[in-house]
Amino acid sequence: MKGVNIFLADGFEDIEALGTNDALLRGGIRTNLIAISDEPFVQSSHGLTLGVENNLPEMNISHSGTTAKDVMIFPGGMPGSRNLASCKPLVKAMKEHYAAGGTVAAICAAPGLVLSQLEDLEGVEFTCFDGFENYLVEKGAKFTPKPAVRSGRIITGRSAGHAVSFALEILEFIKDKETVESVRHAMYL
């Protein structure tokens, strides 16, 4: 799956989706907001109604030409993370994307609920919201309570309070440290 795509389900955490989107846009990364349903709007865990650019059921998903710079992003939030994790077409697309060489990124509860469905997580370092780490630990991954962690082609964030750190970790992976520093400066971080 080409590009940088943020997947949204009803109940997503506002700042984890929109803060990540904002920081990536500031860094010159075009993102796509994609609903996992066929509705044109998705509702956040705090009642925000957000219009999306695409809907997963209507997309023609191809993994041809996928590279590590192509990223599938999964915000946390409840019940958003559970909704993402239970979406069979999304999980199938994620597994195929990762197998094709693409990168996956998840924050808060989404690493535990969504990324834990990947195979071969032995030795992968990750972070997530407390209480969701066992899903990955049981598969041999190593939990660390850092704000954001990149381990190969897997990028994880701890919580809503670390959404910008998560986004900047993705941005540095796609672009470079100079771009991250420019965004940090522009945001007065």
Side-chain angles (χ1 to χ4, degrees):
M1 178 175 282
K2 300 297 286 174
V4 178
N5 300 290
I6 301 174
F7 291 89
L8 301 172
D10 283 335
F12 71 88
E13 174 59 47
D14 303 55
I15 196 168
E16 293 169 5
L18 299 177
T20 299
N21 187 60
D22 180 73
L24 292 173
L25 290 171
R26 289 171 187 263
I29 303 293
R30 187 190 178 320
T31 60
N32 296 303
L33 299 175
I34 302 172
I36 64 167
S37 72
D38 57 3
E39 297 296 322
F41 299 98
V42 182
Q43 186 149 34
S44 78
S45 60
H46 300 287
L48 172 74
T49 301
L50 181 69
V52 294
E53 293 144 332
N54 291 297
N55 300 83
L56 184 64
E58 297 168 5
M59 292 178 68
N60 181 13
I61 298 173
S62 169
H63 302 288
S64 177
T66 296
T67 72
K69 305 289 182 176
D70 297 310
V71 185
M72 291 179 75
I73 301 172
F74 309 104
M78 284 300 183
S81 293
R82 288 198 198 288
N83 291 335
L84 291 173
S86 66
C87 179
K88 290 182 175 145
L90 178 65
V91 172
K92 179 180 185 285
M94 174 188 68
K95 288 178 177 181
E96 291 171 351
H97 172 80
Y98 190 69
T103 298
V104 292
I107 185 169
C108 196
L113 297 176
V114 180
L115 297 188
S116 66
Q117 297 184 58
L118 290 170
E119 303 300 322
D120 193 25
L121 294 170
E122 188 72 36
V124 169
E125 187 179 346
F126 75 97
T127 193
C128 68
F129 194 83
D130 288 354
F132 291 92
E133 65 275 6
N134 287 339
Y135 295 98
L136 287 153
V137 169
E138 289 172 1
K139 294 188 113 181
K142 296 168 43 178
F143 175 73
T144 180
K146 295 178 184 174
V149 175
R150 182 172 64 86
S151 186
R153 292 179 293 113
I154 296 176
I155 302 169
T156 52
R158 186 127 167 91
S159 65
H162 299 294
V164 173
S165 296
F166 171 67
L168 294 179
E169 192 70 38
I170 297 167
L171 182 60
E172 183 175 337
F173 179 70
I174 296 171
K175 287 223 172 169
D176 51 46
K177 287 182 189 251
E178 293 78 23
T179 303
V180 169
E181 288 311 311
S182 174
V183 171
R184 280 185 184 282
H185 177 73
M187 295 177 81
Y188 282 96
L189 296 174

